Amino acid sequence: MMRTRPLKVALLGCGVVGSEVARIMTTHAADLAARIGAPVELAGVAVRRPDKVREGIPAELITTDATALVKRGDIDVVVEVIGGVEPARTLITTAFAHGASVVSANKALLAQDGASLYAAAQEHGQDLYYEAAVAGAIPLIRPLRESLAGDKINRVMGIVNGTTNFILDKMDTSGAGYSEALDEATALGYAEADPTADVEGFDAAAKAAILAGIAFHTRVRLDDVYREGMTEVTAADFASARQMGCTIKLLAICERAADGESVTARVHPAMIPLSHPLASVREAYNAVFVEADAAGQLMFYGPGAGGSPTASAVLGDIVAVCRNRLNEATGPGESAYTQLPVSSMGEVVTRYHISLDVADKPGVLAQVATVFAEHGVSIDTVRQKGKDGEASLVVVTHRAPDAALSGTVEALRKLDTVRGVASIMRVEGE
């Protein structure tokens, strides 16, 4: 039997995502009520610019006082889609204190201070759901928190930023340079006017912190994530990747150490074999590859950004939280029981693809090989081309600690016969 008294939802933010959440709540009200077991009512919308026309939202629901809205006491669910750390953090904790559960899409806040939000939710007996914070419409957080809760996850690797994937895909398929591909992404609305958060990996790093925390049942903060952007990737890098049967992606990689005693989280561009499922992810799509003991290898794929896809994830969380309230229950909270340390990037075992500009004369290869041997790094393959006293040397290594590989590169730079290091890129997915 359906409850007649509606569950009330307060919306913080009414931009691209918030307005789409409001639209779906209105146009799909009957379906949502049937799925939840009670009507859902949009009770208030907090915005910064009240005079802006918002189609489908009654003017009496608009307010600029977000604090008063979350303090009302009759709100069941607060949906936070304003982003940033403050005032979002204060509004969320205030909502918990006044009896509301929270659905958030705020990856930056969750990556930086998720532990305190979980603690506040638990203190007041409320839910904290955030499917929309990572990979847009792709169901990922809930499978990790619930469907795979009985399994042991060893690795999560994926493309979690649509802007960077679009840029790299265009560089790969059309031969465009970075700037040209970025301009196209901007013109199509995939890149912001200031794309720094995307192209320098900050967005992906926040998502990596969230994924690592859930996957490994340990606290991983944004500061724990190693980050490299992709602005230095060139057409020459793609040419080298193609020679290896690879392409280049900006990857978020979260791993449990082989001995199970630590974890790592990192974001950087990497060459990945064309045979790997992630290599075929095109345009602005996202995909995440999960490796677990019992489940084996799983891949989650779909649109990772945009108003409608993100709103889909938000609405899924609203339905789940509303069902919990009807049942007087809460969903999963923080699971950080393992308290595993987060290792530095230097301890991560990786492979390198290194392109060197060298003098074209006898003994150069021997000198380079000696440097690798002195740092305990084994060479997998070498390609050399020379002409008119100049040569290029491409070395692909076997797996070794990243610190040893970095030390090797620094030592190579000091050789008289090495004119320059043209590019360095990690190789993943093998």
Side-chain angles (χ1 to χ4, degrees), residues 274-309:
L274 294 175
S275 58
H276 194 283
L278 291 176
S280 61
V281 179
R282 300 297 185 188
E283 299 285 334
Y285 278 77
N286 283 192
V288 177
F289 201 72
V290 177
E291 299 176 26
D293 272 2
Q297 298 179 334
L298 308 170
M299 192 167 98
F300 301 83
Y301 169 85
S308 294

Side-chain angles (χ1 to χ4, degrees), residues 107 196-207 222 227-229 267:
K107 54 188 172 288
T196 302
D198 293 324
V199 300
E200 293 295 349
F202 291 101
D203 175 84
K207 296 169 181 176
L222 181 58
R227 177 192 56 80
E228 281 182 26
V267 169

